[in-house]
Amino acid sequence: AEQLVEEVRADKQVRVGVLGVGLMGSAMGHRLLDRGIEVIAWDRNPEQISAIEERGGKRADEPTEVVRGADVVITMLPTAPIVLDVVEPLLEDWPEATIWLQTSSIGATEADQLTEVAQAHGVTLVDAPVSGSTHPAEEGELTILASGPDSARASVEPVFEALGSRVLWVGEAGMGEHRHAAGPADHRHGLCRSQPSAGGVGRSVGA
């Protein structure tokens, strides 16, 4: 599975799915579209998807369409129970090479739960809670605390480069939310100590 993840389509741009296009999910989707990245979006409220469509994104009537049509699937949903309610039914048939990029801020214990669920289904999860409001999201100035397998980095790198001005990789899946829950001071300290990763995704504040 890791080898498949590493073999990201070299001949075409990454396709991104977004599950949850409320204020933050919509802003992130707009930013990705502005950077020329293909986006397919779903939301429990179909009206929420209209703004994504108007910017050139694709509408999914069901979450399964997002998973089938994307290389990276972002979840930006309000709570861990909602994330689980939406994603868990999809995991049985989740494509092996598709990355689950969990960007909601849901709490450390809940992030561990999602990690266990993903691992039980053989799904590659990158836990990457974001810090910032809708304006930084639309400007690509979010702070992202990413955690997950090294094999997933090449797949999510274009997404992080579009959305984030500061990206810190902090270990195995779930650790992003642990660091996020520690508070802003810990984020600043960690970002100042971070080293650029392969491809330049994990960059420090002063880089």
PDB file of all heavy atoms in Angstrom, residues 160-195:
ATOM      1  N   PHE A 160      -0.619  20.937   0.583  1.00  0.00           N
ATOM      2  CA  PHE A 160      -0.038  21.770   1.632  1.00  0.00           C
ATOM      3  C   PHE A 160       0.579  23.041   1.057  1.00  0.00           C
ATOM      4  O   PHE A 160       0.495  24.107   1.662  1.00  0.00           O
ATOM      5  CB  PHE A 160       1.019  20.983   2.398  1.00  0.00           C
ATOM      6  CG  PHE A 160       0.453  19.951   3.338  1.00  0.00           C
ATOM      7  CD1 PHE A 160       1.282  18.988   3.911  1.00  0.00           C
ATOM      8  CD2 PHE A 160      -0.892  19.924   3.648  1.00  0.00           C
ATOM      9  CE1 PHE A 160       0.768  18.037   4.783  1.00  0.00           C
ATOM     10  CE2 PHE A 160      -1.416  18.977   4.513  1.00  0.00           C
ATOM     11  CZ  PHE A 160      -0.576  18.030   5.074  1.00  0.00           C
ATOM     12  N   GLU A 161       1.220  22.927  -0.100  1.00  0.00           N
ATOM     13  CA  GLU A 161       1.840  24.108  -0.704  1.00  0.00           C
ATOM     14  C   GLU A 161       0.787  25.132  -1.097  1.00  0.00           C
ATOM     15  O   GLU A 161       1.030  26.339  -1.048  1.00  0.00           O
ATOM     16  CB  GLU A 161       2.667  23.703  -1.922  1.00  0.00           C
ATOM     17  CG  GLU A 161       3.960  22.989  -1.553  1.00  0.00           C
ATOM     18  CD  GLU A 161       4.806  22.654  -2.766  1.00  0.00           C
ATOM     19  OE1 GLU A 161       4.267  22.667  -3.900  1.00  0.00           O
ATOM     20  OE2 GLU A 161       5.993  22.359  -2.591  1.00  0.00           O
ATOM     21  N   ALA A 162      -0.396  24.660  -1.477  1.00  0.00           N
ATOM     22  CA  ALA A 162      -1.477  25.572  -1.843  1.00  0.00           C
ATOM     23  C   ALA A 162      -2.111  26.226  -0.623  1.00  0.00           C
ATOM     24  O   ALA A 162      -2.438  27.414  -0.643  1.00  0.00           O
ATOM     25  CB  ALA A 162      -2.543  24.818  -2.641  1.00  0.00           C
ATOM     26  N   LEU A 163      -2.272  25.463   0.452  1.00  0.00           N
ATOM     27  CA  LEU A 163      -3.056  25.930   1.601  1.00  0.00           C
ATOM     28  C   LEU A 163      -2.234  26.586   2.699  1.00  0.00           C
ATOM     29  O   LEU A 163      -2.750  27.432   3.430  1.00  0.00           O
ATOM     30  CB  LEU A 163      -3.829  24.762   2.217  1.00  0.00           C
ATOM     31  CG  LEU A 163      -4.885  24.096   1.340  1.00  0.00           C
ATOM     32  CD1 LEU A 163      -5.490  22.905   2.089  1.00  0.00           C
ATOM     33  CD2 LEU A 163      -5.975  25.088   0.957  1.00  0.00           C
ATOM     34  N   GLY A 164      -0.983  26.190   2.856  1.00  0.00           N
ATOM     35  CA  GLY A 164      -0.246  26.591   4.042  1.00  0.00           C
ATOM     36  C   GLY A 164       0.969  27.445   3.787  1.00  0.00           C
ATOM     37  O   GLY A 164       1.702  27.238   2.817  1.00  0.00           O
ATOM     38  N   SER A 165       1.203  28.410   4.650  1.00  0.00           N
ATOM     39  CA  SER A 165       2.453  29.173   4.646  1.00  0.00           C
ATOM     40  C   SER A 165       3.442  28.581   5.640  1.00  0.00           C
ATOM     41  O   SER A 165       4.640  28.821   5.552  1.00  0.00           O
ATOM     42  CB  SER A 165       2.189  30.640   4.991  1.00  0.00           C
ATOM     43  OG  SER A 165       1.597  30.760   6.272  1.00  0.00           O
ATOM     44  N   ARG A 166       2.922  27.808   6.609  1.00  0.00           N
ATOM     45  CA  ARG A 166       3.769  27.136   7.592  1.00  0.00           C
ATOM     46  C   ARG A 166       3.278  25.697   7.737  1.00  0.00           C
ATOM     47  O   ARG A 166       2.111  25.477   8.055  1.00  0.00           O
ATOM     48  CB  ARG A 166       3.713  27.838   8.955  1.00  0.00           C
ATOM     49  CG  ARG A 166       4.165  29.280   8.935  1.00  0.00           C
ATOM     50  CD  ARG A 166       4.072  29.895  10.325  1.00  0.00           C
ATOM     51  NE  ARG A 166       4.542  31.265  10.367  1.00  0.00           N
ATOM     52  CZ  ARG A 166       3.765  32.330  10.217  1.00  0.00           C
ATOM     53  NH1 ARG A 166       2.469  32.166  10.022  1.00  0.00           N
ATOM     54  NH2 ARG A 166       4.267  33.541  10.266  1.00  0.00           N
ATOM     55  N   VAL A 167       4.157  24.759   7.476  1.00  0.00           N
ATOM     56  CA  VAL A 167       3.808  23.343   7.575  1.00  0.00           C
ATOM     57  C   VAL A 167       4.854  22.642   8.424  1.00  0.00           C
ATOM     58  O   VAL A 167       6.049  22.758   8.167  1.00  0.00           O
ATOM     59  CB  VAL A 167       3.728  22.674   6.182  1.00  0.00           C
ATOM     60  CG1 VAL A 167       3.343  21.210   6.316  1.00  0.00           C
ATOM     61  CG2 VAL A 167       2.744  23.405   5.293  1.00  0.00           C
ATOM     62  N   LEU A 168       4.403  21.932   9.432  1.00  0.00           N
ATOM     63  CA  LEU A 168       5.308  21.203  10.320  1.00  0.00           C
ATOM     64  C   LEU A 168       4.878  19.745  10.386  1.00  0.00           C
ATOM     65  O   LEU A 168       3.734  19.448  10.735  1.00  0.00           O
ATOM     66  CB  LEU A 168       5.284  21.807  11.726  1.00  0.00           C
ATOM     67  CG  LEU A 168       6.102  21.060  12.790  1.00  0.00           C
ATOM     68  CD1 LEU A 168       7.593  21.153  12.474  1.00  0.00           C
ATOM     69  CD2 LEU A 168       5.831  21.620  14.172  1.00  0.00           C
ATOM     70  N   TRP A 169       5.789  18.853  10.030  1.00  0.00           N
ATOM     71  CA  TRP A 169       5.545  17.414  10.198  1.00  0.00           C
ATOM     72  C   TRP A 169       6.011  17.013  11.590  1.00  0.00           C
ATOM     73  O   TRP A 169       7.146  17.276  11.974  1.00  0.00           O
ATOM     74  CB  TRP A 169       6.290  16.616   9.134  1.00  0.00           C
ATOM     75  CG  TRP A 169       5.638  16.683   7.787  1.00  0.00           C
ATOM     76  CD1 TRP A 169       5.869  17.631   6.814  1.00  0.00           C
ATOM     77  CD2 TRP A 169       4.654  15.797   7.258  1.00  0.00           C
ATOM     78  NE1 TRP A 169       5.077  17.377   5.718  1.00  0.00           N
ATOM     79  CE2 TRP A 169       4.323  16.255   5.954  1.00  0.00           C
ATOM     80  CE3 TRP A 169       4.021  14.649   7.765  1.00  0.00           C
ATOM     81  CZ2 TRP A 169       3.390  15.607   5.149  1.00  0.00           C
ATOM     82  CZ3 TRP A 169       3.086  14.009   6.959  1.00  0.00           C
ATOM     83  CH2 TRP A 169       2.778  14.491   5.668  1.00  0.00           C
ATOM     84  N   VAL A 170       5.124  16.365  12.341  1.00  0.00           N
ATOM     85  CA  VAL A 170       5.404  16.116  13.758  1.00  0.00           C
ATOM     86  C   VAL A 170       5.364  14.639  14.141  1.00  0.00           C
ATOM     87  O   VAL A 170       5.332  14.322  15.322  1.00  0.00           O
ATOM     88  CB  VAL A 170       4.419  16.916  14.643  1.00  0.00           C
ATOM     89  CG1 VAL A 170       4.651  18.406  14.483  1.00  0.00           C
ATOM     90  CG2 VAL A 170       2.964  16.564  14.332  1.00  0.00           C
ATOM     91  N   GLY A 171       5.380  13.733  13.187  1.00  0.00           N
ATOM     92  CA  GLY A 171       5.455  12.322  13.548  1.00  0.00           C
ATOM     93  C   GLY A 171       4.354  11.485  12.920  1.00  0.00           C
ATOM     94  O   GLY A 171       3.835  11.804  11.847  1.00  0.00           O
ATOM     95  N   GLU A 172       4.004  10.409  13.612  1.00  0.00           N
ATOM     96  CA  GLU A 172       3.011   9.470  13.099  1.00  0.00           C
ATOM     97  C   GLU A 172       1.611  10.074  13.145  1.00  0.00           C
ATOM     98  O   GLU A 172       1.344  11.022  13.876  1.00  0.00           O
ATOM     99  CB  GLU A 172       3.043   8.177  13.922  1.00  0.00           C
ATOM    100  CG  GLU A 172       4.372   7.431  13.843  1.00  0.00           C
ATOM    101  CD  GLU A 172       4.365   6.170  14.673  1.00  0.00           C
ATOM    102  OE1 GLU A 172       3.378   5.950  15.404  1.00  0.00           O
ATOM    103  OE2 GLU A 172       5.349   5.415  14.586  1.00  0.00           O
ATOM    104  N   ALA A 173       0.704   9.491  12.355  1.00  0.00           N
ATOM    105  CA  ALA A 173      -0.670   9.993  12.277  1.00  0.00           C
ATOM    106  C   ALA A 173      -1.278  10.120  13.669  1.00  0.00           C
ATOM    107  O   ALA A 173      -1.167   9.217  14.495  1.00  0.00           O
ATOM    108  CB  ALA A 173      -1.513   9.061  11.413  1.00  0.00           C
ATOM    109  N   GLY A 174      -1.918  11.252  13.912  1.00  0.00           N
ATOM    110  CA  GLY A 174      -2.514  11.548  15.211  1.00  0.00           C
ATOM    111  C   GLY A 174      -1.724  12.565  15.997  1.00  0.00           C
ATOM    112  O   GLY A 174      -2.279  13.294  16.819  1.00  0.00           O
ATOM    113  N   MET A 175      -0.409  12.644  15.740  1.00  0.00           N
ATOM    114  CA  MET A 175       0.423  13.579  16.491  1.00  0.00           C
ATOM    115  C   MET A 175       0.146  15.030  16.114  1.00  0.00           C
ATOM    116  O   MET A 175       0.379  15.938  16.905  1.00  0.00           O
ATOM    117  CB  MET A 175       1.909  13.255  16.282  1.00  0.00           C
ATOM    118  CG  MET A 175       2.353  11.941  16.898  1.00  0.00           C
ATOM    119  SD  MET A 175       1.967  11.849  18.671  1.00  0.00           S
ATOM    120  CE  MET A 175       2.934  13.232  19.303  1.00  0.00           C
ATOM    121  N   GLY A 176      -0.367  15.271  14.907  1.00  0.00           N
ATOM    122  CA  GLY A 176      -0.703  16.634  14.517  1.00  0.00           C
ATOM    123  C   GLY A 176      -1.728  17.242  15.452  1.00  0.00           C
ATOM    124  O   GLY A 176      -1.582  18.367  15.922  1.00  0.00           O
ATOM    125  N   GLU A 177      -2.774  16.471  15.757  1.00  0.00           N
ATOM    126  CA  GLU A 177      -3.810  16.963  16.657  1.00  0.00           C
ATOM    127  C   GLU A 177      -3.298  17.073  18.084  1.00  0.00           C
ATOM    128  O   GLU A 177      -3.691  17.977  18.833  1.00  0.00           O
ATOM    129  CB  GLU A 177      -5.043  16.065  16.591  1.00  0.00           C
ATOM    130  CG  GLU A 177      -6.236  16.594  17.360  1.00  0.00           C
ATOM    131  CD  GLU A 177      -6.693  17.964  16.876  1.00  0.00           C
ATOM    132  OE1 GLU A 177      -6.820  18.166  15.662  1.00  0.00           O
ATOM    133  OE2 GLU A 177      -6.913  18.844  17.740  1.00  0.00           O
ATOM    134  N   HIS A 178      -2.391  16.183  18.492  1.00  0.00           N
ATOM    135  CA  HIS A 178      -1.791  16.291  19.828  1.00  0.00           C
ATOM    136  C   HIS A 178      -1.033  17.610  19.951  1.00  0.00           C
ATOM    137  O   HIS A 178      -1.148  18.312  20.967  1.00  0.00           O
ATOM    138  CB  HIS A 178      -0.856  15.114  20.092  1.00  0.00           C
ATOM    139  CG  HIS A 178      -1.567  13.857  20.503  1.00  0.00           C
ATOM    140  ND1 HIS A 178      -1.727  13.490  21.822  1.00  0.00           N
ATOM    141  CD2 HIS A 178      -2.168  12.893  19.767  1.00  0.00           C
ATOM    142  CE1 HIS A 178      -2.392  12.341  21.879  1.00  0.00           C
ATOM    143  NE2 HIS A 178      -2.675  11.959  20.653  1.00  0.00           N
ATOM    144  N   ARG A 179      -0.248  17.964  18.931  1.00  0.00           N
ATOM    145  CA  ARG A 179       0.495  19.228  18.963  1.00  0.00           C
ATOM    146  C   ARG A 179      -0.453  20.411  18.858  1.00  0.00           C
ATOM    147  O   ARG A 179      -0.256  21.447  19.506  1.00  0.00           O
ATOM    148  CB  ARG A 179       1.516  19.258  17.824  1.00  0.00           C
ATOM    149  CG  ARG A 179       2.687  18.319  18.017  1.00  0.00           C
ATOM    150  CD  ARG A 179       3.584  18.758  19.164  1.00  0.00           C
ATOM    151  NE  ARG A 179       4.248  20.001  18.867  1.00  0.00           N
ATOM    152  CZ  ARG A 179       5.415  20.079  18.222  1.00  0.00           C
ATOM    153  NH1 ARG A 179       6.034  18.982  17.819  1.00  0.00           N
ATOM    154  NH2 ARG A 179       5.969  21.248  17.994  1.00  0.00           N
ATOM    155  N   HIS A 180      -1.488  20.278  18.041  1.00  0.00           N
ATOM    156  CA  HIS A 180      -2.462  21.352  17.890  1.00  0.00           C
ATOM    157  C   HIS A 180      -3.161  21.640  19.216  1.00  0.00           C
ATOM    158  O   HIS A 180      -3.369  22.791  19.590  1.00  0.00           O
ATOM    159  CB  HIS A 180      -3.488  20.949  16.819  1.00  0.00           C
ATOM    160  CG  HIS A 180      -4.441  22.038  16.449  1.00  0.00           C
ATOM    161  ND1 HIS A 180      -5.668  22.180  17.046  1.00  0.00           N
ATOM    162  CD2 HIS A 180      -4.355  23.042  15.530  1.00  0.00           C
ATOM    163  CE1 HIS A 180      -6.292  23.227  16.521  1.00  0.00           C
ATOM    164  NE2 HIS A 180      -5.521  23.756  15.601  1.00  0.00           N
ATOM    165  N   ALA A 181      -3.496  20.568  19.938  1.00  0.00           N
ATOM    166  CA  ALA A 181      -4.186  20.724  21.219  1.00  0.00           C
ATOM    167  C   ALA A 181      -3.283  21.334  22.287  1.00  0.00           C
ATOM    168  O   ALA A 181      -3.776  21.880  23.281  1.00  0.00           O
ATOM    169  CB  ALA A 181      -4.707  19.372  21.698  1.00  0.00           C
ATOM    170  N   ALA A 182      -1.954  21.263  22.067  1.00  0.00           N
ATOM    171  CA  ALA A 182      -1.024  21.805  23.053  1.00  0.00           C
ATOM    172  C   ALA A 182      -1.055  23.325  23.104  1.00  0.00           C
ATOM    173  O   ALA A 182      -0.655  23.928  24.094  1.00  0.00           O
ATOM    174  CB  ALA A 182       0.400  21.322  22.761  1.00  0.00           C
ATOM    175  N   GLY A 183      -1.506  23.956  22.034  1.00  0.00           N
ATOM    176  CA  GLY A 183      -1.684  25.401  22.055  1.00  0.00           C
ATOM    177  C   GLY A 183      -0.723  26.144  21.163  1.00  0.00           C
ATOM    178  O   GLY A 183       0.295  25.613  20.724  1.00  0.00           O
ATOM    179  N   PRO A 184      -1.032  27.424  20.886  1.00  0.00           N
ATOM    180  CA  PRO A 184      -0.244  28.233  19.959  1.00  0.00           C
ATOM    181  C   PRO A 184       1.219  28.367  20.321  1.00  0.00           C
ATOM    182  O   PRO A 184       2.076  28.394  19.451  1.00  0.00           O
ATOM    183  CB  PRO A 184      -0.944  29.602  20.011  1.00  0.00           C
ATOM    184  CG  PRO A 184      -2.335  29.300  20.464  1.00  0.00           C
ATOM    185  CD  PRO A 184      -2.203  28.120  21.392  1.00  0.00           C
ATOM    186  N   ALA A 185       1.540  28.464  21.602  1.00  0.00           N
ATOM    187  CA  ALA A 185       2.944  28.637  21.972  1.00  0.00           C
ATOM    188  C   ALA A 185       3.760  27.432  21.541  1.00  0.00           C
ATOM    189  O   ALA A 185       4.877  27.553  21.046  1.00  0.00           O
ATOM    190  CB  ALA A 185       3.066  28.840  23.491  1.00  0.00           C
ATOM    191  N   ASP A 186       3.186  26.239  21.709  1.00  0.00           N
ATOM    192  CA  ASP A 186       3.873  25.029  21.295  1.00  0.00           C
ATOM    193  C   ASP A 186       4.019  24.988  19.785  1.00  0.00           C
ATOM    194  O   ASP A 186       5.029  24.545  19.253  1.00  0.00           O
ATOM    195  CB  ASP A 186       3.110  23.800  21.777  1.00  0.00           C
ATOM    196  CG  ASP A 186       3.890  22.514  21.583  1.00  0.00           C
ATOM    197  OD1 ASP A 186       4.943  22.385  22.223  1.00  0.00           O
ATOM    198  OD2 ASP A 186       3.460  21.669  20.778  1.00  0.00           O
ATOM    199  N   HIS A 187       3.034  25.503  19.043  1.00  0.00           N
ATOM    200  CA  HIS A 187       3.114  25.543  17.588  1.00  0.00           C
ATOM    201  C   HIS A 187       4.291  26.405  17.159  1.00  0.00           C
ATOM    202  O   HIS A 187       5.084  26.019  16.314  1.00  0.00           O
ATOM    203  CB  HIS A 187       1.844  26.147  16.981  1.00  0.00           C
ATOM    204  CG  HIS A 187       0.601  25.384  17.319  1.00  0.00           C
ATOM    205  ND1 HIS A 187      -0.643  25.825  16.932  1.00  0.00           N
ATOM    206  CD2 HIS A 187       0.397  24.237  18.002  1.00  0.00           C
ATOM    207  CE1 HIS A 187      -1.558  24.965  17.347  1.00  0.00           C
ATOM    208  NE2 HIS A 187      -0.949  24.013  18.010  1.00  0.00           N
ATOM    209  N   ARG A 188       4.407  27.596  17.776  1.00  0.00           N
ATOM    210  CA  ARG A 188       5.469  28.509  17.379  1.00  0.00           C
ATOM    211  C   ARG A 188       6.823  27.902  17.667  1.00  0.00           C
ATOM    212  O   ARG A 188       7.752  27.979  16.870  1.00  0.00           O
ATOM    213  CB  ARG A 188       5.309  29.848  18.116  1.00  0.00           C
ATOM    214  CG  ARG A 188       4.117  30.665  17.636  1.00  0.00           C
ATOM    215  CD  ARG A 188       4.227  32.088  18.166  1.00  0.00           C
ATOM    216  NE  ARG A 188       4.155  32.132  19.624  1.00  0.00           N
ATOM    217  CZ  ARG A 188       3.039  32.264  20.294  1.00  0.00           C
ATOM    218  NH1 ARG A 188       1.885  32.332  19.651  1.00  0.00           N
ATOM    219  NH2 ARG A 188       3.034  32.319  21.612  1.00  0.00           N
ATOM    220  N   HIS A 189       6.939  27.272  18.826  1.00  0.00           N
ATOM    221  CA  HIS A 189       8.209  26.672  19.185  1.00  0.00           C
ATOM    222  C   HIS A 189       8.574  25.570  18.209  1.00  0.00           C
ATOM    223  O   HIS A 189       9.693  25.491  17.713  1.00  0.00           O
ATOM    224  CB  HIS A 189       8.126  26.098  20.605  1.00  0.00           C
ATOM    225  CG  HIS A 189       9.380  25.429  21.067  1.00  0.00           C
ATOM    226  ND1 HIS A 189      10.567  26.102  21.187  1.00  0.00           N
ATOM    227  CD2 HIS A 189       9.635  24.130  21.408  1.00  0.00           C
ATOM    228  CE1 HIS A 189      11.507  25.260  21.605  1.00  0.00           C
ATOM    229  NE2 HIS A 189      10.966  24.056  21.735  1.00  0.00           N
ATOM    230  N   GLY A 190       7.604  24.735  17.883  1.00  0.00           N
ATOM    231  CA  GLY A 190       7.859  23.633  16.968  1.00  0.00           C
ATOM    232  C   GLY A 190       8.183  24.120  15.572  1.00  0.00           C
ATOM    233  O   GLY A 190       9.067  23.591  14.903  1.00  0.00           O
ATOM    234  N   LEU A 191       7.495  25.147  15.093  1.00  0.00           N
ATOM    235  CA  LEU A 191       7.734  25.639  13.754  1.00  0.00           C
ATOM    236  C   LEU A 191       9.102  26.277  13.630  1.00  0.00           C
ATOM    237  O   LEU A 191       9.761  26.163  12.606  1.00  0.00           O
ATOM    238  CB  LEU A 191       6.641  26.650  13.370  1.00  0.00           C
ATOM    239  CG  LEU A 191       5.287  26.025  13.016  1.00  0.00           C
ATOM    240  CD1 LEU A 191       4.191  27.078  13.084  1.00  0.00           C
ATOM    241  CD2 LEU A 191       5.335  25.412  11.629  1.00  0.00           C
ATOM    242  N   CYS A 192       9.560  26.923  14.687  1.00  0.00           N
ATOM    243  CA  CYS A 192      10.893  27.506  14.634  1.00  0.00           C
ATOM    244  C   CYS A 192      11.968  26.430  14.593  1.00  0.00           C
ATOM    245  O   CYS A 192      13.051  26.646  14.052  1.00  0.00           O
ATOM    246  CB  CYS A 192      11.122  28.408  15.859  1.00  0.00           C
ATOM    247  SG  CYS A 192      10.160  29.937  15.830  1.00  0.00           S
ATOM    248  N   ARG A 193      11.663  25.255  15.164  1.00  0.00           N
ATOM    249  CA  ARG A 193      12.654  24.188  15.183  1.00  0.00           C
ATOM    250  C   ARG A 193      12.572  23.285  13.965  1.00  0.00           C
ATOM    251  O   ARG A 193      13.437  22.450  13.749  1.00  0.00           O
ATOM    252  CB  ARG A 193      12.461  23.317  16.434  1.00  0.00           C
ATOM    253  CG  ARG A 193      12.769  23.987  17.726  1.00  0.00           C
ATOM    254  CD  ARG A 193      12.753  23.001  18.884  1.00  0.00           C
ATOM    255  NE  ARG A 193      11.408  22.492  19.111  1.00  0.00           N
ATOM    256  CZ  ARG A 193      11.014  21.273  18.789  1.00  0.00           C
ATOM    257  NH1 ARG A 193      11.819  20.452  18.149  1.00  0.00           N
ATOM    258  NH2 ARG A 193       9.788  20.860  19.069  1.00  0.00           N
ATOM    259  N   SER A 194      11.520  23.432  13.150  1.00  0.00           N
ATOM    260  CA  SER A 194      11.309  22.471  12.075  1.00  0.00           C
ATOM    261  C   SER A 194      12.366  22.588  11.003  1.00  0.00           C
ATOM    262  O   SER A 194      12.959  23.638  10.793  1.00  0.00           O
ATOM    263  CB  SER A 194       9.923  22.682  11.451  1.00  0.00           C
ATOM    264  OG  SER A 194       9.864  23.921  10.778  1.00  0.00           O
ATOM    265  N   GLN A 195      12.585  21.465  10.300  1.00  0.00           N
ATOM    266  CA  GLN A 195      13.527  21.414   9.213  1.00  0.00           C
ATOM    267  C   GLN A 195      12.768  21.130   7.932  1.00  0.00           C
ATOM    268  O   GLN A 195      11.801  20.387   7.933  1.00  0.00           O
ATOM    269  CB  GLN A 195      14.560  20.307   9.448  1.00  0.00           C
ATOM    270  CG  GLN A 195      15.426  20.540  10.672  1.00  0.00           C
ATOM    271  CD  GLN A 195      16.289  21.772  10.527  1.00  0.00           C
ATOM    272  OE1 GLN A 195      16.795  22.049   9.454  1.00  0.00           O
ATOM    273  NE2 GLN A 195      16.429  22.525  11.601  1.00  0.00           N
TER     274      GLN A 195
END
